[in-house]
Every structure is written in structure tokens, then in C-alpha cells.
Amino acid sequence: MNKMPEALNKCSARQAFLASCAAKTRLLHTPVSDPYEVSGHPNPAGLGDAGPFSQTGSWGQSSVLFPTLETYRQADGCGRASYGGAEYGVVQTPEAEAVCKKIAALHNGHGAVICPSGLAAIATTLDALAPKAVLIPDCVYGPMLRLLNRRRIKPFRYPAGASATEFRAVLEKASSEYSQGQELLVYLEAPGSGTFEIPDIEGIAAIAKNAELRTVMDNTWASHIRFLPLEHGIDIVIQATTKYEGGYGDTPSGVVIAKDPQDLQHIADELRATGNGAVAPTTCSRLYHRLDSTEERLNQHAETAQRLMDWFLTQPFTAGVLSPALETSPYHERFQYYFGKGNGLFSVIFQPDIPANKVEAFADALNLFWIAESWGGHLSLVLPVHAKREVTSMPDGYVLRFHAGLEDYQDLLRDLEQAAQDTLLTAPAGTQ
């Protein structure tokens, strides 16, 4: 294993900082203070009561046993064993079925399926519905664009915070090239990735319904706690349950919830045909139990994020903070109507005259904010926002996205302060 000297120095600095932190913060970070020892896994110690739920269940055997040929034939015909789960392989095990039933009920949906990741849930839905073109918000999750390109599905971008009128204009353009119905699909994501715009969700859903188009919404930001898309006109919901539902970064999975039985059957058939529903039973078991604590954790993430945003807003190097939870956000009214409360995510815009290397040095100097992509877990994170917008403007200045974890907020503030003092607030050598 190649351990970079600067990385080893960072491990030592992090461990020294942890020694001064509250017990709660030490509990979360000590197991991962040296990521080389745990291969970068965020939850090697089984935090969040993962341990008891990881030692039970079917463990994903490839064979499902049947007492007679007739019972097997019946199961093979419909893809389901009479005692729950699939007739073959790990796809839709009894554990998967249990967590899907629970999640579907939380969304007031007809049913749900589970996939190995949020992106797998998106891919399965697109493959099942097979559109030729998709209307997407300009702030859509980056890998979604790669997927559309690979599937040769044409994207039509509408503004990230689109009004119904702005969306209708893009739909008219798409409809001039593709027939409505099976060829076109409407996709929403709110708040948007990295910059957190909120479109007129109900207005877009109503226009799509009038045009007889299916609507699919990525609801990962909100979880079922903050927003129920099916009750606002959306047909199909996708969530990366790796995030807030799982809560500790160790439940790689994504779910698709459908309102219409026929839509659900198309998606379930796609899973059966491709085998892409193979999610470990232990992961499903963890997720099933963690769902019960989602709201408590999400509220703590939101409270801590608000304290951190308040701190950034007082700093001279901050040009702005992106979060619809702030009253100054142009999307605050929609935020209050649709979501009501925030989560742990926000982005900080640094003053345009601050060089990128100084902002990145600030990120590297943090001890409790890990550099990582998949937010929603117990650890605080930071990552640059390199959004590619085509119809929506991006702010001037370097943008960092933060996720507030479950640590003691005072430790997080101390960490921000020490990193800022060392990198952003220190006068260059030779100046007064």
C-alpha cells in the first residue's frame, strides 16, 4: 500500500485534533482516523447499531429451494417464491421485500424495488421505461448525464429552478422532435445537486400529466421525511438510500417507488431480466431498521448545518451560501411549501478574488470534514462543486459543498476556524 507522506501527516494531525474533541465526535471519527487501516470505509466499527442487524438473514444464497417441481414452476412463472422473495438468486430476497414494503408505505406508493445504488435505481428506471429523450433540470446529478449519453437518450435541459412557464417552453421544443407518450420522459431533482435550486414541482407535474408523460423524481435530498413526491403529482420516485435512510455510509442501495402497479411491474421485470436488484440481505436488514431513526438524524444534520452556515456568513472570505433553507434564497418560498426543513447539505461560495489553491488548502486543512462524495452519513464531508450548467448561471468564485454530520457542532466550528486561520485568514509573507 502506497501511503503518501502528506496523507500520513494529515492522519497524525487529525488524531491530535480528535484528542480535544467531545466524546460524541471521537466516537464517530476514531475508527476512521487512519483511512488506510479501514480501506476508507466510513463505518468499520458498526456504528448506529449496524452489528446486530448484520448477522441475521439469508446472506444472499444464490439458490432458493422448492419442495416440488410444481411449486418451482409457479415461482419461475412470476419471478416470486411463494414464501417471499425471488425464485432465483439474491434479487428481491425476503429482506429486500421487507424493506421495499416499508419504504413504499412511507411514500404512500403501490410498491417499491431496491437496487445496489441510487445510480442503479436511475438506470433501472430508464431502461424499464425506455424513453428516447428526457427532460432534465440543469442541476441534475452528474452521473445521470453520463448515463443518458451512454444509453443514447437525448437530454433536454430546463432551468434548475424552472417555473411552469419555463418548463413548458422546453417541453414544446422536445415535443417538436419526439412524439409524446413513450418517447419522452420528465425527470425532476429537487433541490438540485450542489446548488440546491427548487423548480415548480407541482406545476411541472401538472403539465406533464396533461401531456400524458410520466414523471420521475430524484427525492434523495429530502428523503420521505421532508417530501412525498407521489402526493404532489409525481409518478415514480427514486432515492439513494445510501444517504439519510441508511445514515452511516454502509448501506449502498437505491429504491424506486411507483404509484401505478403497471409502472412498478415494468421496473421489477427489468430488475429480474438484468439481475441488477442484487442487494445484500444484510444491507437490506440494516436499512429496514435504520429507517426508524431517519427523522431524528435528519433533524440533527439540519440543525448543525444551520450553525455552520451562520458561521460562514460572518466570514470575510465568504461571498455567499447556497441553501434553500436560508431566507435569502430565491427558492425559500418553494422550500417552505414543499420541504419545510433542511438537511445537512449546503454550499459555500468563496470570494472570487481568492485563488483556487487557497480554497483547496482550506479544505485539506480540515480535520473533521472528510473529502468524500456520498453525503448523508454520520461524518461531515466537503467536496468541490464542479457543476456544468447550460441554461442556468453559476456563481462567481470557488464553490465547496459541505455536509454536516452527527458530530458535536462546536467541534466542527473549531475545525473550520483553525483551517480558516491557517489558510484563508493568514496574511501572505512580507505583508503587514
Side-chain angles (χ1 to χ4, degrees), residues 1-150:
M1 182 186 300
N2 182 24
K3 297 187 176 183
M4 300 171 63
E6 57 268 33
L8 291 175
N9 292 338
K10 182 60 185 180
C11 290
S12 297
R14 179 176 287 110
Q15 288 161 355
F17 188 85
L18 276 174
S20 65
C21 289
K24 176 182 181 180
T25 303
R26 294 198 304 272
L27 172 68
L28 300 181
H29 283 266
T30 298
V32 294
S33 61
D34 184 350
Y36 287 106
E37 295 299 317
V38 295
S39 300
H41 294 169
N43 191 18
L47 295 169
D49 296 326
F53 307 131
S54 300
Q55 307 306 317
T56 59
S58 65
W59 285 84
Q61 291 97 328
S62 61
S63 288
V64 178
L65 309 180
F66 297 92
T68 67
L69 282 173
E70 183 56 29
T71 57
Y72 164 72
R73 289 191 186 100
Q74 289 179 1
D76 187 52
C78 65
R80 290 173 51 83
S82 58
Y83 20 76
E87 93 293 356
Y88 165 66
V90 76
V91 180
Q92 293 296 295
T93 60
E95 291 83 356
E97 219 165 60
V99 75
C100 285
K101 183 177 180 180
K102 190 171 186 175
I103 287 176
L106 291 170
H107 278 270
N108 296 323
H110 172 75
V113 299
I114 191 165
C115 304
S117 68
L119 182 56
I122 294 171
T124 298
T125 303
L126 286 177
D127 290 346
L129 302 179
K132 293 183 178 179
V134 179
L135 283 79
I136 59 169
D138 204 29
C139 55
V140 77
Y141 173 55
M144 167 72 162
L145 293 170
R146 292 201 301 265
L147 178 64
L148 292 176
N149 182 60
R150 187 169 183 82

Side-chain angles (χ1 to χ4, degrees), residues 107 216-217 219 229-230 234-239 255-258:
H107 278 270
V216 178
M217 180 172 175
N219 193 51
L230 300 183
I234 302 298
D235 297 312
I236 297 169
V237 181
I238 293 172
Q239 287 184 190
V255 294
V256 186
I257 309 105

